[in-house]
Amino acid sequence: MEINNIEIKYRDMKNRNTNELLASLNCISWDTCFTHDNINNILNAFRDKVNTVLDEHIPFKAKRVKRQHQPPWITTAVKERDKLLKIARKSNLQADWNQFEHPKCKTSNLIKKAKRNYFPGISRKEQRKSKRHLEGSKDSQRNAKTVPANFRSLVYFYGIKNSGVEEWDFAFEQFQNTTVASERRKILYGLAGASEPWILSRYLQYSITPDKIKSQDTSRVLSYVANYNPNGRQLTWQFLKLNWNLIKEKFGGGFFAIRNIILSVTSGFSTEFELEDLKEFNRKHSAGSGTRAQQQAEEGVMANIQWRKENEQDVSNWLKYFLEKNNIPLN
């Protein structure tokens, strides 16, 4: 991966004189900030006063650092999508959310496909190392600490992908025993990497079994299996249809839970068959407070279908080029 140098600016907090800084802050006349009528102007005035003091006592310093290039899926389209998301969050206007919806659908599949092809580019040797790490954890819980936190979910995922039910059961036991929320999420993600469909089916069943997995993690499990395991999308969809009444009863009037489940499971749908299947399901089953989510799911699938028609060939060509350029096997 190429590396280039960039210049960053930062405040050197090590050499600050806290007493002098506090004394200067105490001398500020804050009342003048509230002479403005607009809240934004008040905040700007407040910020300017604070920054003036900080510039005096903790001035900015410049430093050149090495920066890795963005991964291949961070394209101009993704940056534009993120820009529109910020605008929509700030204004909270329906028009801005509608404008954000199409770029979101347009980029989501590209990102998922690029990630699936990028990370499996790890050599077979690295995948075997992931498996050995998972197996080694059985003998020493300290092994988990040897893997940086940012990579641990990938190690779990590919370790389980290249292992069997014994390793899966061990990882699930670790999930039940750990109390660290971030670690629990990483293990939940890793458990979705199972290669055997029957293990995935059991995992999905665990997601609605209270003594196995808590309700707040149900939507996360369904999303991980549906969106990150090539064998999981239809498996999760069939599971959702089969257990819809139970899931609806389980979450009752929980709008956000039902919404997250519907949208996460169907977000990868991109064919006419899947769209018709979704419409048929929505006609037969009302989601109650999640009815709007059902409509959004249909709209999202239609956007995915349109995006595939317009971009699938270009994406396919780019992925082939990327894999060949980096000597990554196509299968």
Side-chain angles (χ1 to χ4, degrees), residues 245-262:
N245 291 333
L246 176 61
I247 292 173
K248 186 179 176 182
E249 179 182 354
K250 180 182 179 70
F251 291 100
F255 166 75
F256 289 106
I258 293 294
R259 177 183 182 275
N260 289 340
I261 289 174
I262 294 173

Side-chain angles (χ1 to χ4, degrees), residues 61-78:
K61 289 187 175 182
K63 180 180 180 181
R64 295 192 66 81
V65 297
K66 292 181 178 180
R67 181 187 67 179
Q68 294 182 336
H69 282 306
Q70 295 277 26
W73 55 83
I74 304 300
T75 62
T76 303
V78 174

